[in-house]
């Protein structure tokens, strides 16, 4: 033992360095890159996973000009989400890009922020973001931050778990109902739209990436390790330091579809209110959208990106020449029942411009904006 230490100590510094460069390098992912907080001019959006990939530099750190294949590779290599799981979502992200820029974005998503366009991909009752038009906006034209992580909203999701170390499908369904009820309660009159099919697909991703692979029934019945989920959302960083690594096997679209339908089918033990009718039980297929009335142009949120606590605790800031920038305020949350209408699920159905316009027109018409 003594001899071993002596040998190590005798190693030239240059030789010793490679062993300390990357503490997270593992058989699971040979290209781990450290988290770096987003700077004020970086683009971030409502999706915690895409923000996280950008914060690690697995996607361009500025959150702009993201190539389709780069996104597929980043998800597969670093978080174990296969291309089949996100092909439709990526196609819709490009459609949304075309819709907003009035140009053909080709295979390049211009930035992450454009995903925050409300009632298109972005939806109400998120686990961790506020809704675009909450009750407390001053006028119906006004809007709030629906893009940045909001710790108090995320806490309302965690509260449902009552300190459980793990979350199963049933608990996740309960979290989802809680978020729907709070969001419906806090919405600007007319704004709220139930989007459970979309959200359950997103919940499926959470099970796919943060499922605890150390548990015996991981494959047949994954459970989310809550501290991993919490670390990930709160920091928009991957929880390597908590023992997480890219999960195996990778998750394909069948996993996502199965997880989201099992989630919605999971029996709940209490029913928060107010809920829209049909909130409990499997998602129903979208009905044909009503004829479009008028179109409305929504503005995107413009606030600077959210920066999580590890950036300040560990000095992992974005160096933009001014040292660490300060943590900025974040986002907010959102009643009108929408009987018989189900927004399209952009993870599973391809949107047309007219679908986006019609979905947006529904809420706006209810609010008397158009
Ligand atoms: C912010 O980013 C945009 C897009 O990359 C760029 O055009 C602009 O010059 C940047 N602004 C600053 C202050 O860096
Ligand atoms: C993202 O792209 C949209 C559409 O071109 C644009 O309106 C918005 O300002 C951009 N935001 C950022 C932060 O780059
Ligand atoms: C987060 O959401 C809460 C509740 O909706 C809201 O009161 C608060 O202002 C939001 N926080 C930030 C920083 O926007």
């Amino acid at each position: 033992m003594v001899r071993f230490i002596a040998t190590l100590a005798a190693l030239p510094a240059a030789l010793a360095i490679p062993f300390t460069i990357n503490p997270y390098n593992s058989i699971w992912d040979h290209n781990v890159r450290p988290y770096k907080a987003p700077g004020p001019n970086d683009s971030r959006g409502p999706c915690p996973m895409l923000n996280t990939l950008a914060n690690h530099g697995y996607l361009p750190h500025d959150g702009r000009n993201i190539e389709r294949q780069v996104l597929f590779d980043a998800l597969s290599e670093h978080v174990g989400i296969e291309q089949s799981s996100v092909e439709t979502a990526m196609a819709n992200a490009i459609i949304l890009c075309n819709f907003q820029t009035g140009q053909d974005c080709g295979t390049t998503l211009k930035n992450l922020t454009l995903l925050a366009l409300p009632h298109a991909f972005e939806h109400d009752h998120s686990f961790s973001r506020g809704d675009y038009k909450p009750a407390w906006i001053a006028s119906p034209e006004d809007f709030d931050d629906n893009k940045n992580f909001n710790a108090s909203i995320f806490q309302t999701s965690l509260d449902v778990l009552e300190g459980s170390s793990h979350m199963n499908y049933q608990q996740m369904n309960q979290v989802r109902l809680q978020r729907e009820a709070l969001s419906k309660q806090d919405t600007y009159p007319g704004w709220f739209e139930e989007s459970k099919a979309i959200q359950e697909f997103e919940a499926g991703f959470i099970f796919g990436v943060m499922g605890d692979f150390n548990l015996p029934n991981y494959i047949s019945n994954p459970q989310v390790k809550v501290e991993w989920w919490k670390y990930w959302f709160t920091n928009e960083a991957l929880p390597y330091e908590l023992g997480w690594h890219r999960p195996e096997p990778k998750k394909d679209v069948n996993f996502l579809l199965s997880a989201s339908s099992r989630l919605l089918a999971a029996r709940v033990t209490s029913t928060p209110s107010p809920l829209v009718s049909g909130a409990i039980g499997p998602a129903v297929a979208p009905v044909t959208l009503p004829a479009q009335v008028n179109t409305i142009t929504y503005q995107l949120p413009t606030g600077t990106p959210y920066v999580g606590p590890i950036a300040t605790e560990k000095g992992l800031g974005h160096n933009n020449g001014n040292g660490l920038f300060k943590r900025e305020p974040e986002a907010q949350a959102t009643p009108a029942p929408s009987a018989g209408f189900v927004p399209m699920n952009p993870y599973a159905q391809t949107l047309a411009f007219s679908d986006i316009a019609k979905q947006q027109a529904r809420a706006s018409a209810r609010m008397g904006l158009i």
Side-chain angles (χ1 to χ4, degrees):
M1 192 62 196
V2 169
R3 190 187 241 147
F4 180 59
I5 289 168
T7 314
L8 262 188
L11 275 178
L15 275 182
I17 283 170
F19 300 104
T20 57
I21 275 182
N22 190 349
Y24 307 131
N25 208 345
S26 75
I27 55 166
W28 308 103
D29 184 347
H30 296 291
N31 295 304
V32 168
R33 283 182 228 150
Y35 164 92
K36 192 165 108 183
N41 195 35
D42 291 328
S43 171
R44 291 293 181 269
C47 175
M49 181 48 86
L50 298 184
N51 290 351
T52 299
L53 294 174
N55 288 342
H56 280 281
Y58 301 146
L59 295 177
H61 192 263
D62 68 359
R64 295 192 175 86
N65 300 315
I66 299 167
E67 270 304 312
R68 189 183 127 94
Q69 197 59 48
V70 169
L71 185 138
F72 290 153
D73 292 347
L75 283 165
S76 172
E77 187 176 347
H78 301 293
V79 293
I81 294 293
E82 281 190 353
Q83 181 167 333
S84 65
S85 308
V86 282
E87 249 164 1
T88 306
M90 184 61 190
N92 283 317
I94 296 289
I95 289 166
L96 208 47
C97 185
N98 298 343
F99 182 84
Q100 289 178 71
T101 59
Q103 293 162 3
D104 181 359
C105 296
T107 54
T108 313
L109 179 62
K110 287 267 179 266
N111 65 51
L112 294 175
T113 310
L114 64 80
L115 298 174
L117 190 77
H119 287 176
F121 216 122
E122 187 275 345
H123 58 87
D124 295 334
H125 58 82
S126 151
F127 297 125
S128 62
R129 269 68 175 163
D131 293 348
Y132 189 68
K133 290 185 190 278
W136 46 86
I137 53 176
S139 75
E141 290 80 17
D142 209 356
F143 61 95
D144 216 323
D145 184 357
N146 63 341
K147 146 180 102 81
N148 281 335
F149 174 82
N150 178 313
S152 52
I153 290 191
F154 186 48
Q155 191 57 47
T156 65
S157 296
L158 296 175
D159 284 347
V160 176
L161 302 172
E162 295 175 331
S164 297
S165 64
H166 290 81
M167 172 172 67
N168 60 23
Y169 287 139
Q170 183 197 13
Q171 288 166 302
M172 179 52 115
N173 202 16
Q174 200 81 55
V175 170
R176 187 266 308 181
L177 286 176
Q178 168 86 335
R179 287 299 312 135
E180 279 197 27
L182 289 173
S183 170
K184 187 161 157 41
Q185 176 188 302
D186 290 340
T187 193
Y188 196 86
W191 177 254
F192 179 83
E193 195 82 83
E194 194 203 30
S195 307
K196 72 175 174 179
I198 308 176
Q199 189 168 34
E200 288 324 283
F201 219 88
E202 291 167 347
F205 284 113
I206 298 173
F207 277 79
V209 179
M210 293 298 155
D212 188 349
F213 40 72
N214 299 310
L215 292 182
N217 297 325
Y218 170 60
I219 302 292
S220 59
N221 196 15
Q223 296 194 45
V224 171
K225 187 158 181 170
V226 176
E227 65 169 9
W228 290 349
W229 182 31
K230 190 173 171 186
Y231 181 105
W232 165 33
F233 269 40
T234 307
N235 291 303
E236 301 203 321
L238 293 167
Y240 297 111
E241 61 177 309
L242 301 182
W244 176 92
H245 60 68
R246 186 192 79 198
E248 288 289 323
K250 293 186 183 181
K251 308 299 185 295
D252 65 4
V253 68
N254 294 321
F255 173 89
L256 269 295
L257 289 170
S258 143
S260 55
S261 57
R262 286 173 69 187
L263 267 155
L264 282 179
R267 183 187 292 272
V268 291
T269 50
S270 72
T271 48
S273 73
L275 285 177
V276 297
S277 65
I280 296 167
V284 295
V287 296
T288 311
L289 285 158
Q292 189 174 336
V293 220
N294 273 307
T295 52
I296 177 151
T297 307
Y298 287 118
Q299 289 167 47
L300 286 173
T302 53
T304 57
Y306 169 78
V307 177
I310 54 166
T312 33
E313 281 161 18
K314 301 184 181 177
L316 299 169
H318 174 81
N319 187 348
N320 59 1
N322 303 316
L324 289 180
F325 58 94
K326 68 175 190 315
R327 186 171 167 185
E328 295 288 335
E330 311 126 17
Q332 249 71 345
T334 329
S338 44
F341 172 78
V342 181
M344 292 184 69
N345 178 356
Y347 294 96
Q349 298 163 301
T350 307
L351 298 169
F353 279 12
S354 56
D355 297 322
I356 300 172
K358 286 174 190 175
Q359 288 195 175
Q360 295 186 332
R362 274 177 56 82
S364 309
R366 283 198 303 258
M367 294 175 70
L369 286 172
I370 51 174

